[in-house]
Structure formats: C-alpha cells, structure tokens
Amino acid sequence: MRNIVEGDHSRLEFDSVADLLTTVQAHRYATNLGLIESMPEFFGGDVRSIEHLFELARLGWEEQLDATLNVAADALATVQRSYDVPDWQSHYDVQGSDVDVARFLSGEPENMVSHHLVPTPRMGRVISLAVNIGASYDISAMDMIERGKSIVALVYALERIGIRTEVFTDSQSKGSKGTSETIRQVVKVKDAADALDPAMIMFTLAHPAFYRGLVMASKHEHPRRFHKPLKIGNTYGYPIDRLSNEVFPNECIILKTVMRSDDRNVSDVEAFVVSHLKDLGLI
C-alpha cells in the first residue's frame, strides 16, 4: 500500500486485492465491519461474518458467477452476430503454430496454419478500465450487483475477443459542507499480464461487500487529520461520482458509479457491452 498526500487530498494505492486485504486485516474492528452480522443486506445479503468477507477477498465470489458468465456469453454471441467484432482468423504460410497434414503430405510448401487477430481501429494491446465503485448508503445492494454484472460481462467480452485488460477499482469521498479534504482508494484488481479470474473480478466489481466492507475499512489508513472531516469510523464521507484520470494509464476508460442515474441501462447487459465496445472502436 502507498499513501500519497497532496494538500487536502489523501490517496491510498493498492497493488492487488491481496494488498488491500492485508491492510484491512489490521482494521478488523472498524465500525463498518462491525455491521456485517447486524445489517447483512447492506453488504449483499450473503456475507455472514468478517472472516467470510476475508475468504471472499482471497477466493472470489462464485455464488452468481455461472449465471453472470452465461449472460455475458449470450450477450457476446448476440454482438458477434450483429456487428463486425475482432476475431482470430487463420491463414496458410510456410510457418505457423499448427500443421495441415494433408497439405504437408501433398508437398504444398504453405502447409502451416498461422492465427492472427484481425486489426480493428483504435484497438491497442491493452485496454485499461477503472470502475468507480463508490455508492452512498441509500443505494441498494441489488443495484450495485446488477451494475457490477454488466461490467464483468464487458471485461469477459474484451478478453474473449483477444484483448488484454487491466482493471482498477476506484472510489473518492469528500467531507460535509465547509470542509475541503478528500480521500481516494485505488485498487488494481487485474494486471494485463494476469489470466482472467472470473470469481475475483465478480467479487471486486459486483459484490457490495468489496466496497462497503474492505474499501471502507481501508479508509482508516488515511492520516489522522482526514478522519474528522470525512467522519471515518462513522459515515466515511460522501462518495464523489466523477473521478479524474491522472492516476491511471493514458486512455483509461473510467466507468461511472452506480450512485447516480446513468444513460446506459446497467440491467441490460447486451446494451451495456455494445455501447462500450462502440466507444472503444471495436464494433
């Protein structure tokens, strides 16, 4: 974990979910974590204890994973039928990854099969996504879950068409009126070099307990002078819905928080995936 303080702003940066978990384990008696057993619906309804939350942070969330990936696969299949989507194509050459035995035996020089991804405008080797997971207390856990499922589907679609993704979660909070202090928590949940771990992506992007449990508890790591204006240990500050891009890679796509109404219907997975693939110039 790194803490960067610039004037009235304090930012925590975590290199992984494991890094975040290590930090939060030192704050297991944080006020918000003490509410897990008495207010389970606030954390998604299925987290039974702090230890169970820590287990999810280590293993990921599988309870709704299969259904989410099935919806994601159906959405991608529909997109591929309706749009020109980047795909792997094959061609014969004198070198490649596979051999065509029939062509080899017939003496055809170009008997090797080479696979390549069809180029698409604006498509780079890596696409970075930063997800603003901040949500005020009155946002329902179900809204957070449904919005998260659509983002999981987008990550799944990008990886399935051969594009590597790096994924961050982000949240920023401000104090009450009359205070100037702000805090921010950035977690890298997937590196571009990492294989996709669907259960972990599902937990970090779609489970309310990731933000309302782990990320909120991590706010205790901010310097003491930020605790009173942000009411850390009580309300933990007011989420900010629009985040700046200076801490992320160039051209990183920032997905807005569920705390505000959005012109993209997050419950319509196909529409959500199509909209962002269009924005990225992939269809």
Side-chain angles (χ1 to χ4, degrees):
M1 184 205 75
R2 294 175 297 279
N3 179 214
I4 299 93
V5 177
E6 299 171 336
D8 286 339
H9 179 68
S10 176
R11 182 172 75 251
L12 303 177
E13 296 181 351
F14 300 93
D15 292 327
S16 64
V17 177
D19 186 14
L20 172 66
L21 177 59
T22 298
T23 298
V24 171
Q25 285 175 325
H27 298 284
R28 61 179 299 118
Y29 298 108
T31 304
N32 69 305
L33 295 180
L35 299 175
I36 288 178
E37 294 185 15
S38 60
M39 297 176 58
E41 67 283 353
F42 184 71
F43 296 89
D46 64 332
V47 180
R48 298 181 295 275
S49 65
I50 295 174
E51 292 304 327
H52 185 203
L53 172 61
F54 292 169
E55 180 182 1
L56 288 172
R58 289 189 293 267
L59 303 178
W61 186 34
E62 295 191 356
E63 182 173 321
Q64 300 190 35
L65 180 60
D66 287 345
T68 300
L69 293 184
N70 288 337
V71 171
D74 290 344
L76 180 57
T78 301
V79 170
Q80 290 174 319
R81 286 194 299 268
S82 305
Y83 300 91
D84 292 327
V85 179
D87 200 2
W88 291 97
Q89 292 188 359
S90 305
H91 68 277
Y92 290 107
D93 205 337
V94 295
Q95 59 184 359
S97 57
D98 301 301
V99 62
D100 185 315
V101 176
R103 290 173 71 93
F104 173 77
L105 294 176
S106 68
E108 179 66 46
E110 295 180 340
N111 55 57
M112 299 297 293
V113 182
S114 180
H115 305 280
H116 67 284
L117 189 65
V118 178
T120 303
R122 296 172 56 197
M123 184 180 70
R125 296 181 62 190
V126 174
I127 286 178
S128 301
L129 297 173
V131 183
N132 184 354
I133 58 171
S136 54
Y137 72 93
D138 56 340
I139 298 297
S140 73
M142 184 55 63
D143 283 345
M144 297 175 73
I145 292 171
E146 290 305 313
R147 183 258 194 168
K149 286 180 178 180
S150 291
I151 300 174
V152 171
L154 176 61
V155 174
Y156 174 86
L158 290 169
E159 292 275 341
R160 279 288 300 270
I161 62 180
I163 298 172
R164 291 182 296 159
T165 60
E166 60 178 355
V167 182
F168 303 84
T169 63
D170 191 7
S171 60
Q172 186 171 344
S173 305
K174 60 183 178 180
S176 57
K177 188 176 181 180
T179 62
S180 58
E181 291 83 358
T182 60
I183 59 173
R184 189 173 193 173
Q185 301 73 225
V186 177
V187 184
K188 191 169 191 177
V189 300
K190 180 186 179 300
D191 188 80
D194 296 339
L196 181 65
D197 182 343
M200 186 58 65
I201 291 294
M202 186 75 178
F203 172 62
T204 55
L205 302 185
H207 202 301
F210 178 73
Y211 172 68
R212 289 176 168 173
L214 297 182
V215 173
M216 286 183 65
S218 76
K219 295 180 181 183
H220 287 270
E221 284 289 321
H222 289 286
R224 293 294 303 177
R225 71 181 180 90
F226 290 89
H227 286 213
K228 184 176 180 179
L230 272 296
K231 297 184 179 180
I232 293 174
N234 187 359
T235 61
Y236 291 88
Y238 299 93
I240 297 173
D241 59 342
R242 294 189 181 275
L243 305 180
S244 55
N245 196 28
E246 78 278 359
V247 300
F248 300 118
N250 291 336
E251 300 184 1
C252 180
I253 307 301
I254 297 180
L255 301 180
K256 292 189 291 185
T257 177
V258 72
M259 68 175 286
R260 297 284 185 266
S261 59
D262 198 330
D263 56 354
R264 289 170 177 153
N265 185 353
V266 296
S267 64
D268 187 338
V269 175
E270 182 183 324
F272 185 86
V273 171
V274 167
S275 179
H276 284 287
L277 292 182
K278 285 182 176 179
D279 286 350
L280 292 166
L282 298 176
I283 59 176

